[in-house]
Amino acid sequence: MRIVSLLPSATEIVYALGLGDALVGVTHECDYPAAARSRPVVTHSMLDLASATSAEIDQAVQQQLHDGLSLYGLDRALLAQLAPDVILTQALCEVCAVSYGEVERAVRDVSAQFGQLAPKVLSLEPTGLGDILATIRLVGAATGTSAQAEALVARLSARVERVRARAVQVRRPRVACLEWVDPIFGPGHWVPELIELAGGQPGLGTAHSDSRRVAWGDVIAFAPEVIVVAPCGFGLERTVHEALQVLPGRTGWEALPAVRRGRVYAIDGNAYCARPGPRIVDSLELLAELINPELFAGWGPSGAWQRIVTADEPLVETS
């Protein structure tokens, strides 16, 4: 079997199912596990945003979409050369990956041009934690690894239940997870569910729905006791930088309960929360540690978060 993954999360699923040797193509964003970086890359970004601010990225993306242009390019010649049996993709978010329509057109054109049998295109579209586990089973069924998928889901589910059972003991603080900082986006899809499982009260977003832009006044009204800054696609260092550039200048920032109590955290949003794959349970454990450290200290992955300090003290607390 030959697999092309057009999603970083799908790449993680493929490796977790022991199919790394069958993976013949990945996206330019597939960076975990490390072995994925050695696979042929079949996509590229149409925008150069490496040094752009959050506001500039948002403006560029919105303009590209307004103009009816794709955010990502797909190397059709390489796709034909790789001749996959299965392509893993999605139609959930046009900002996150090559559009499903583009994948369908590429498969049709490549098959017609080179006389190849069309690969099976599997679209993974989870909107909640249960859906994410279901996609693992779906990939397992499509690749002949159903037994491995069931075993993996069982292990992940046991970890979820371990967090759920422990979190019943806590007083649930109000938690704002910011999926973008300029403009502000609240949490969507599975993130509100993760916050609730981790012992928090989610706000500024709706479970199983798209992440949405929220007014700063809504943040003030919610008065979060914990703030987690997790921009999609940003690593930890860039998240800290963007948060410190934007958030302290907002009216009323210093008066928010989370800021007054020193409970504002940046996390590696590129690795956690945004990727609906096996590490979504790592994300749950990470959120539990940040929301209720008295019960979950050390549960999250090492090096995944940093406390954001907006006063004159240094940024020293990390994990």
Side-chain angles (χ1 to χ4, degrees):
M1 174 166 289
R2 299 172 65 80
I3 303 169
V4 165
S5 170
L6 300 180
L7 296 169
S9 58
T11 295
E12 296 188 22
I13 292 172
V14 167
Y15 275 98
L17 294 178
L19 293 167
D21 289 343
L23 188 66
V24 297
V26 297
T27 78
H28 61 288
E29 295 180 327
C30 291
D31 56 7
Y32 187 90
R37 299 172 184 169
S38 66
R39 297 297 187 261
V41 174
V42 298
T43 69
H44 62 275
S45 175
M46 303 297 287
L47 300 172
D48 182 7
L49 301 172
S51 59
T53 66
S54 295
E56 290 168 344
I57 292 172
D58 180 73
Q59 291 167 4
V61 167
Q62 295 306 319
Q63 186 63 53
Q64 193 84 343
L65 295 176
H66 179 268
D67 293 341
L69 301 175
S70 176
L71 297 174
Y72 304 97
L74 181 60
D75 188 334
R76 296 188 180 196
L78 179 56
L79 188 65
Q81 180 183 336
L82 296 174
D85 303 299
V86 176
I87 296 176
L88 303 176
T89 186
Q90 61 96 43
L92 185 67
C93 176
E94 60 185 341
V95 175
C96 297
V98 176
S99 72
Y100 185 73
E102 172 65 16
V103 175
E104 283 192 312
R105 288 189 295 273
V107 167
R108 183 176 60 247
D109 293 348
V110 165
S111 298
Q113 182 178 357
F114 295 96
Q116 298 173 348
L117 291 176
K120 180 175 183 179
V121 178
L122 193 61
S123 182
L124 310 180
E125 302 174 26
T127 63
L129 179 58
D131 297 335
I132 295 172
L133 300 180
T135 64
I136 295 174
R137 292 189 174 100
L138 190 62
V139 174
T143 58
T145 56
S146 289
Q148 293 91 324
E150 288 298 334
L152 175 58
V153 168
R155 293 194 300 272
L156 295 173
S157 298
R159 289 168 58 192
V160 171
E161 186 55 37
R162 184 168 171 248
V163 173
R164 187 202 310 269
R166 195 170 181 85
V168 299
Q169 309 174 40
V170 303
R171 182 192 73 82
R172 294 179 173 269
R174 295 181 302 277
V175 180
C177 184
L178 307 183
E179 294 195 5
W180 203 253
V181 296
D182 193 8
I184 298 290
F185 272 73
H189 300 309
W190 46 84
V191 174
E193 183 181 2
L194 296 183
I195 292 170
E196 192 164 358
L197 283 168
Q201 297 180 54
L204 307 176
T206 304
H208 306 285
S209 298
D210 290 346
S211 174
R212 63 181 179 87
R213 184 170 179 170
V214 298
W216 181 247
D218 293 338
V219 180
I220 296 296
F222 182 54
E225 297 166 275
V226 179
I227 296 174
V228 179
V229 186
C232 180
F234 281 10
L236 182 57
E237 182 178 352
R238 191 171 185 184
T239 296
V240 171
H241 175 77
E242 288 292 314
L244 289 174
Q245 289 294 310
V246 174
L247 296 176
R250 297 271 187 175
T251 301
W253 169 256
E254 295 293 344
L256 290 173
V259 179
R260 294 201 314 268
R261 298 168 188 171
R263 302 205 61 195
V264 182
Y265 307 100
I267 73 170
D268 182 347
N270 183 54
Y272 304 103
C273 288
R275 289 192 183 183
R279 286 195 295 172
I280 203 65
V281 179
D282 296 59
S283 305
L284 170 62
E285 292 165 344
L286 170 59
L287 288 170
E289 178 175 6
L290 298 181
I291 295 168
N292 290 294
E294 65 281 1
L295 286 179
F296 294 101
W299 282 46
S302 177
W305 65 271
Q306 183 170 310
R307 187 167 65 94
I308 296 177
V309 181
T310 58
D312 292 331
E313 58 180 307
L315 292 163
V316 294
E317 186 177 353
T318 61
S319 177

